[in-house]
Amino acid sequence: MTEQFQFTTTDDAADAADTSVFDEQTRSEAQQIIARYPEPRSALLPMLHLVQSVQGHVSPAGIQFCADQLALTTAEVSAVATFYTMYKRKPCGQHLVSVCTNTLCAVLGGDAIYKTLGEHLGVGHDETAGTPGEEGSITLEHAECLAACDLGPVLQVNYEYFDNQTPEQALELVKSLQRGEKPAPTRGPELSDFRGAERQLAGFFDDLESTVAGPSAAVETLRGAQLAHERGWTAPSMPDDVELPPVPEKK
Protein backbone atom coordinates (compact mmCIF):
# COMPACT_ATOMS: atom_id res chain seq x y z
CA MET A 1 0.00 0.00 0.00
CA THR A 2 1.42 3.41 -0.96
CA GLU A 3 1.87 6.32 1.42
CA GLN A 4 -0.98 8.18 -0.27
CA PHE A 5 -3.46 5.38 0.27
CA GLN A 6 -2.31 4.98 3.85
CA PHE A 7 -2.96 8.70 4.28
CA THR A 8 -6.34 8.73 2.55
CA THR A 9 -7.79 6.19 4.90
CA THR A 10 -11.41 5.09 4.98
CA ASP A 11 -13.99 7.05 6.93
CA ASP A 12 -14.27 4.26 9.49
CA ALA A 13 -10.55 4.39 10.21
CA ALA A 14 -10.48 8.18 10.28
CA ASP A 15 -13.33 8.25 12.82
CA ALA A 16 -10.82 6.89 15.33
CA ALA A 17 -8.50 9.89 14.90
CA ASP A 18 -8.11 11.85 18.13
CA THR A 19 -8.72 15.54 17.42
CA SER A 20 -8.14 16.70 21.01
CA VAL A 21 -4.82 18.24 19.93
CA PHE A 22 -6.90 21.08 18.48
CA ASP A 23 -7.83 23.22 21.49
CA GLU A 24 -10.70 25.64 21.95
CA GLN A 25 -8.73 28.52 20.46
CA THR A 26 -8.03 26.52 17.29
CA ARG A 27 -11.69 25.52 17.07
CA SER A 28 -12.73 29.14 17.48
CA GLU A 29 -10.30 30.20 14.77
CA ALA A 30 -11.64 27.47 12.51
CA GLN A 31 -15.10 28.99 12.86
CA GLN A 32 -13.66 32.43 12.05
CA ILE A 33 -12.21 31.01 8.84
CA ILE A 34 -15.51 29.38 7.90
CA ALA A 35 -17.36 32.68 8.47
CA ARG A 36 -15.31 34.30 5.68
CA TYR A 37 -17.00 32.20 2.99
CA PRO A 38 -20.58 31.84 1.74
CA GLU A 39 -20.12 28.06 1.60
CA PRO A 40 -18.30 26.32 4.49
CA ARG A 41 -16.46 23.87 2.22
CA SER A 42 -14.73 26.83 0.54
CA ALA A 43 -12.75 27.30 3.77
CA LEU A 44 -10.88 24.01 3.38
CA LEU A 45 -7.57 25.40 2.06
CA PRO A 46 -6.97 27.90 4.90
CA MET A 47 -8.31 25.31 7.36
CA LEU A 48 -5.57 22.91 6.30
CA HIS A 49 -3.00 25.67 6.88
CA LEU A 50 -4.49 26.20 10.35
CA VAL A 51 -4.05 22.49 11.07
CA GLN A 52 -0.42 22.69 9.97
CA SER A 53 0.17 25.68 12.24
CA VAL A 54 -0.74 23.44 15.18
CA GLN A 55 0.90 20.13 14.24
CA GLY A 56 3.48 21.05 11.61
CA HIS A 57 1.80 18.78 9.06
CA VAL A 58 -1.62 17.48 8.06
CA SER A 59 -2.15 14.37 10.15
CA PRO A 60 -5.11 11.94 10.13
CA ALA A 61 -6.38 13.92 13.14
CA GLY A 62 -6.09 17.10 11.08
CA ILE A 63 -8.04 15.49 8.25
CA GLN A 64 -10.76 14.47 10.70
CA PHE A 65 -10.82 17.91 12.31
CA CYS A 66 -11.34 19.65 8.95
CA ALA A 67 -14.01 17.14 7.95
CA ASP A 68 -15.89 17.66 11.22
CA GLN A 69 -15.74 21.45 11.01
CA LEU A 70 -16.80 21.63 7.36
CA ALA A 71 -19.29 18.74 7.21
CA LEU A 72 -17.15 16.94 4.62
CA THR A 73 -16.05 13.35 4.40
CA THR A 74 -12.47 12.53 5.28
CA ALA A 75 -12.05 11.30 1.70
CA GLU A 76 -12.95 14.76 0.38
CA VAL A 77 -10.47 16.44 2.72
CA SER A 78 -7.74 13.91 1.95
CA ALA A 79 -8.20 14.43 -1.79
CA VAL A 80 -7.32 18.11 -1.36
CA ALA A 81 -4.55 17.61 1.20
CA THR A 82 -2.73 15.12 -1.02
CA PHE A 83 -3.09 17.22 -4.17
CA TYR A 84 -1.25 20.39 -3.06
CA THR A 85 2.42 20.16 -2.14
CA MET A 86 2.16 22.89 0.50
CA TYR A 87 0.28 20.44 2.70
CA LYS A 88 2.85 18.18 4.33
CA ARG A 89 1.95 14.58 5.06
CA LYS A 90 4.67 14.08 7.65
CA PRO A 91 6.00 16.43 10.36
CA CYS A 92 7.98 19.36 8.99
CA GLY A 93 11.09 20.90 10.50
CA GLN A 94 11.15 24.21 12.31
CA HIS A 95 12.08 25.67 8.93
CA LEU A 96 11.11 24.57 5.43
CA VAL A 97 13.82 25.30 2.88
CA SER A 98 12.52 25.18 -0.70
CA VAL A 99 15.13 25.31 -3.46
CA CYS A 100 13.91 26.19 -6.95
CA THR A 101 15.26 23.58 -9.36
CA ASN A 102 13.10 24.48 -12.33
CA THR A 103 14.92 25.04 -15.62
CA LEU A 104 16.21 28.62 -15.31
CA CYS A 105 17.18 28.46 -11.64
CA ALA A 106 18.70 25.02 -12.20
CA VAL A 107 21.08 26.18 -14.93
CA LEU A 108 21.94 29.32 -12.94
CA GLY A 109 22.97 27.24 -9.95
CA GLY A 110 19.83 25.90 -8.31
CA ASP A 111 20.88 22.29 -8.76
CA ALA A 112 24.25 23.05 -7.17
CA ILE A 113 22.53 24.78 -4.25
CA TYR A 114 20.22 21.83 -3.68
CA LYS A 115 23.13 19.38 -3.83
CA THR A 116 25.19 21.46 -1.39
CA LEU A 117 22.36 21.73 1.13
CA GLY A 118 21.44 18.06 0.80
CA GLU A 119 25.01 16.99 1.48
CA HIS A 120 25.32 19.33 4.46
CA LEU A 121 22.02 18.25 6.00
CA GLY A 122 22.34 14.59 5.01
CA VAL A 123 18.81 14.50 3.62
CA GLY A 124 16.97 14.29 0.32
CA HIS A 125 13.72 15.76 -0.97
CA ASP A 126 11.02 16.21 1.67
CA GLU A 127 13.28 14.87 4.41
CA THR A 128 14.14 16.55 7.70
CA ALA A 129 17.48 17.07 9.40
CA GLY A 130 16.95 17.07 13.17
CA THR A 131 13.78 16.34 15.10
CA PRO A 132 10.78 17.84 13.28
CA GLY A 133 9.49 20.97 14.98
CA GLU A 134 12.46 21.36 17.30
CA GLU A 135 14.91 24.29 17.25
CA GLY A 136 17.19 24.19 14.22
CA SER A 137 15.44 21.34 12.40
CA ILE A 138 15.32 21.79 8.62
CA THR A 139 13.10 20.18 6.01
CA LEU A 140 14.58 20.37 2.51
CA GLU A 141 12.58 20.17 -0.69
CA HIS A 142 12.87 20.66 -4.42
CA ALA A 143 10.47 23.40 -5.49
CA GLU A 144 8.79 23.94 -8.81
CA CYS A 145 9.10 27.46 -10.24
CA LEU A 146 9.03 30.03 -7.42
CA ALA A 147 8.05 32.84 -9.81
CA ALA A 148 11.26 34.84 -9.38
CA CYS A 149 13.14 34.00 -12.57
CA ASP A 150 14.62 37.51 -12.80
CA LEU A 151 16.32 36.89 -9.44
CA GLY A 152 17.43 33.28 -9.88
CA PRO A 153 18.67 31.15 -8.45
CA VAL A 154 16.25 31.58 -5.57
CA LEU A 155 15.16 29.64 -2.55
CA GLN A 156 12.53 30.18 0.10
CA VAL A 157 12.57 29.67 3.84
CA ASN A 158 9.03 29.20 5.13
CA TYR A 159 7.87 30.74 1.83
CA GLU A 160 9.94 33.94 2.18
CA TYR A 161 12.39 34.75 -0.63
CA PHE A 162 16.17 34.67 -0.62
CA ASP A 163 17.21 35.88 -4.08
CA ASN A 164 20.36 35.61 -6.20
CA GLN A 165 21.78 32.80 -4.13
CA THR A 166 25.04 30.89 -4.50
CA PRO A 167 25.77 27.49 -2.95
CA GLU A 168 28.01 29.24 -0.40
CA GLN A 169 25.37 31.81 0.54
CA ALA A 170 22.65 29.16 0.79
CA LEU A 171 24.86 26.96 2.97
CA GLU A 172 25.58 29.82 5.39
CA LEU A 173 21.84 30.63 5.45
CA VAL A 174 20.97 27.07 6.47
CA LYS A 175 23.74 26.98 9.06
CA SER A 176 22.39 30.17 10.60
CA LEU A 177 18.92 28.63 10.78
CA GLN A 178 20.40 25.62 12.54
CA ARG A 179 22.03 27.98 15.05
CA GLY A 180 18.62 29.42 15.87
CA GLU A 181 19.06 32.63 13.92
CA LYS A 182 16.50 34.15 11.54
CA PRO A 183 18.25 36.02 8.71
CA ALA A 184 16.29 38.72 6.94
CA PRO A 185 14.74 37.62 3.62
CA THR A 186 15.60 39.55 0.48
CA ARG A 187 11.98 40.64 0.25
CA GLY A 188 8.96 40.39 2.51
CA PRO A 189 8.50 40.44 6.30
CA GLU A 190 10.78 39.19 9.03
CA LEU A 191 11.36 35.47 8.98
CA SER A 192 9.00 33.29 10.99
CA ASP A 193 9.18 29.55 11.53
CA PHE A 194 7.17 27.05 9.48
CA ARG A 195 4.23 26.89 11.88
CA GLY A 196 4.13 30.67 12.17
CA ALA A 197 4.06 30.98 8.38
CA GLU A 198 1.22 28.46 8.25
CA ARG A 199 -0.75 30.53 10.73
CA GLN A 200 -0.38 33.53 8.45
CA LEU A 201 -1.50 31.48 5.45
CA ALA A 202 -4.60 30.58 7.46
CA GLY A 203 -5.26 34.32 7.73
CA PHE A 204 -4.09 35.12 11.27
CA PHE A 205 -1.46 37.80 11.91
CA ASP A 206 -0.01 38.90 15.23
CA ASP A 207 0.95 42.22 13.64
CA LEU A 208 -0.47 42.66 10.15
CA GLU A 209 1.07 46.10 9.62
CA SER A 210 4.64 44.91 10.17
CA THR A 211 4.01 41.76 8.14
CA VAL A 212 3.05 43.69 5.02
CA ALA A 213 5.59 46.48 5.55
CA GLY A 214 8.55 44.61 4.06
CA PRO A 215 9.65 45.24 0.46
CA SER A 216 7.71 43.11 -1.99
CA ALA A 217 9.45 43.88 -5.29
CA ALA A 218 13.09 43.87 -6.30
CA VAL A 219 14.96 46.45 -8.39
CA GLU A 220 15.37 43.91 -11.21
CA THR A 221 11.63 43.27 -11.35
CA LEU A 222 10.76 46.95 -11.69
CA ARG A 223 13.57 47.89 -14.09
CA GLY A 224 11.49 47.53 -17.25
CA ALA A 225 8.70 49.74 -15.91
CA GLN A 226 11.29 52.29 -14.77
CA LEU A 227 12.93 52.45 -18.20
CA ALA A 228 9.55 52.83 -19.90
CA HIS A 229 8.70 55.73 -17.59
CA GLU A 230 12.05 57.46 -18.13
CA ARG A 231 11.89 57.12 -21.92
CA GLY A 232 8.21 57.77 -22.39
CA TRP A 233 7.44 54.31 -23.74
CA THR A 234 3.80 53.32 -23.78
CA ALA A 235 1.90 50.37 -25.12
CA PRO A 236 -0.32 51.07 -28.14
CA SER A 237 -3.90 51.73 -27.17
CA MET A 238 -6.69 49.40 -28.18
CA PRO A 239 -9.05 50.93 -30.78
CA ASP A 240 -12.59 51.38 -29.54
CA ASP A 241 -14.09 49.90 -32.70
CA VAL A 242 -11.96 46.75 -33.03
CA GLU A 243 -13.88 43.80 -34.41
CA LEU A 244 -13.85 40.67 -32.33
CA PRO A 245 -13.42 37.34 -34.09
CA PRO A 246 -16.59 35.32 -34.54
CA VAL A 247 -17.41 32.72 -31.94
CA PRO A 248 -17.09 29.22 -33.43
CA GLU A 249 -20.40 27.49 -33.94
CA LYS A 250 -21.06 24.70 -31.47
CA LYS A 251 -21.54 21.31 -33.07
Side-chain angles (χ1 to χ4, degrees):
M1 181 178 287
T2 67
E3 179 185 359
Q4 179 173 350
F5 287 119
Q6 288 173 339
F7 187 76
T8 56
T9 128
T10 64
D11 286 343
D12 289 341
D15 285 342
D18 181 7
T19 62
S20 62
V21 66
F22 303 106
D23 60 17
E24 287 305 313
Q25 178 181 338
T26 304
R27 294 173 187 273
S28 173
E29 290 173 343
Q31 291 304 309
Q32 293 177 48
I33 293 174
I34 293 170
R36 301 172 191 162
Y37 300 89
E39 294 292 335
R41 67 185 299 131
S42 300
L44 179 54
L45 297 183
M47 282 276 286
L48 287 166
H49 286 299
L50 180 66
V51 163
Q52 288 199 139
S53 76
V54 175
Q55 290 192 296
H57 72 301
V58 179
S59 67
I63 293 290
Q64 184 66 59
F65 176 75
C66 290
D68 292 343
Q69 297 294 316
L70 299 173
L72 298 172
T73 67
T74 54
E76 289 174 310
V77 177
S78 295
V80 174
T82 56
F83 182 84
Y84 294 104
T85 58
M86 289 181 77
Y87 302 124
K88 306 306 179 185
R89 288 151 55 187
K90 55 187 178 182
C92 196
Q94 180 191 23
H95 299 292
L96 173 65
V97 176
S98 311
V99 181
C100 182
T101 54
N102 208 343
T103 306
L104 184 57
C105 275
V107 300
L108 290 174
D111 281 347
I113 290 172
Y114 182 84
K115 180 181 179 182
T116 298
L117 298 185
E119 289 175 348
H120 169 70
L121 296 170
V123 299
H125 172 67
D126 201 27
E127 295 179 348
T128 300
T131 302
E134 291 191 0
E135 183 82 14
S137 57
I138 306 285
T139 297
L140 179 67
E141 68 175 3
H142 282 286
E144 193 56 40
C145 181
L146 293 178
C149 298
D150 48 346
L151 300 165
V154 299
L155 61 81
Q156 290 180 336
V157 178
N158 309 322
Y159 306 117
E160 300 298 343
Y161 282 98
F162 290 82
D163 303 323
N164 294 311
Q165 292 291 293
T166 65
E168 294 75 22
Q169 289 173 320
L171 179 58
E172 181 52 39
L173 169 61
V174 165
K175 287 180 177 179
S176 68
L177 295 172
Q178 291 179 299
R179 293 192 297 264
E181 302 169 10
K182 293 183 178 179
T186 308
R187 296 171 281 136
E190 294 181 1
L191 194 63
S192 177
D193 57 17
F194 176 71
R195 296 191 188 192
E198 286 298 304
R199 183 167 173 77
Q200 293 178 1
L201 289 168
F204 297 100
F205 299 87
D206 296 328
D207 185 350
L208 178 59
E209 184 174 345
S210 65
T211 301
V212 300
S216 59
V219 172
E220 294 90 336
T221 306
L222 301 177
R223 184 58 178 154
Q226 181 183 355
L227 283 172
H229 177 73
E230 292 173 351
R231 301 179 184 184
W233 296 341
T234 59
S237 59
M238 173 70 95
D240 293 332
D241 57 350
V242 64
E243 292 186 13
L244 296 177
V247 177
E249 182 180 350
K250 292 184 178 180
K251 297 182 180 180

